[in-house]
Amino acid sequence: MRGGPERVVLREGAAARLICLPFAGGSARSFVRLARHLPDGWQVTAAQPPSGAPDGLGLDDLAGHYLAVLAGDLAAARRFEGPTLLLGHSLGAAVAHRMAALWPADVADAVGVVLSAPPPPGTVTAGLLALDDPALLTEAGRRGMLPELGGGPDFAIRFLLPELRRDLVALGGAGWRAEPVAAEVHVLAGTQDALLPPAAAARLADALGARSCRLVEGGHLYVVEQPAAAARAVDALAHGRRAAFPSPDSTTSVPVRDEEYA
């Protein structure tokens, strides 16, 4: 659940910097576990989704909001000698990609962009938004879009779904286009993510001209559910280490779903 300042410092450090953008329905606090599992020296900040837009924001407006909130972090990256990564997860990945298309060249040179479990190109969410609350909760659970927080369906409908609906508006129209941007791009994908299977992640990385594509053990919300594995992947990206990525032909056991997503 959300609240508090728009920019949250989750961990202090001076050797490397990670800036996080949440998934649909998530918040800055969604990255607390990831921050704890990163090695010594990492500074981790996260942006809080906007609270003053009850009907949600489009992708460009959301990218503009985060650019303003994180202006200080992005400016500091130009002078920082260590690596700086902007990591967006799921919807946050589409927003991070859009931010990279909008920010100036000196930021692009200083900040690497990590697209974590990003939406497939052209993804739209109008069908999800049309569902009533019980149906949306069922479908979001089936797709692995909501973390296990306990409290039962009534709790989820009251406290989680309003935020999820507001966020899904960002992909309610034309979705997003996977076009190369000036920044260095990396793609992360969950080994058991039915929304972006490994084969689809490899194709997406190729379309983006990504520098690397890496698998993280887990489903769609591995940043929450498998934070140690996600932290190892982030640290490896920051230090230029690459892992072998399976070819699309070897990952066809999970079907690619070119349909609605979040």
Side-chain angles (χ1 to χ4, degrees), residues 77-174:
R78 301 164 179 164
R79 305 181 298 273
F80 185 56
E81 294 184 0
T84 298
L85 297 176
L86 173 68
L87 181 148
H89 188 82
S90 193
L91 170 64
V95 179
H97 176 266
R98 187 62 187 143
M99 289 169 64
L102 297 173
W103 64 33
D106 56 347
V107 174
D109 292 338
V111 181
V113 179
V114 182
L115 306 183
S116 179
T123 290
V124 295
T125 56
L128 284 174
L129 290 168
L131 297 175
D132 63 21
D133 285 347
L136 177 58
L137 181 63
T138 298
E139 185 62 13
R142 184 183 72 82
R143 299 185 185 197
M145 291 163 50
L146 291 175
E148 293 290 339
L149 296 179
D154 290 340
F155 173 87
I157 288 173
R158 182 177 178 184
F159 293 104
L160 301 183
L161 287 196
E163 295 169 353
L164 179 67
R165 285 189 182 277
R166 281 195 295 270
D167 293 343
L168 291 178
V169 169
L171 296 178

Side-chain angles (χ1 to χ4, degrees), residues 48-72:
Q48 196 76 289
S51 59
D55 297 325
L57 294 175
L59 191 59
D60 284 354
D61 291 334
L62 200 53
H65 169 82
Y66 285 134
L67 282 170
V69 168
L70 299 169

Side-chain angles (χ1 to χ4, degrees), residues 171-189:
L171 296 178
W176 74 293
R177 292 178 293 179
E179 299 173 340
V181 293
E184 177 183 289
V185 173
H186 303 269
V187 174
L188 294 182

Side-chain angles (χ1 to χ4, degrees), residues 1-10 20-23 25-33 35 44-49 66:
M1 290 176 283
R2 299 169 183 168
E6 293 181 320
R7 174 186 175 274
V8 180
V9 179
L10 300 176
C20 301
L21 305 180
F23 48 87
S27 72
R29 303 292 296 177
S30 299
F31 299 97
V32 166
R33 295 176 184 173
V44 182
T45 60
Q48 196 76 289
Y66 285 134

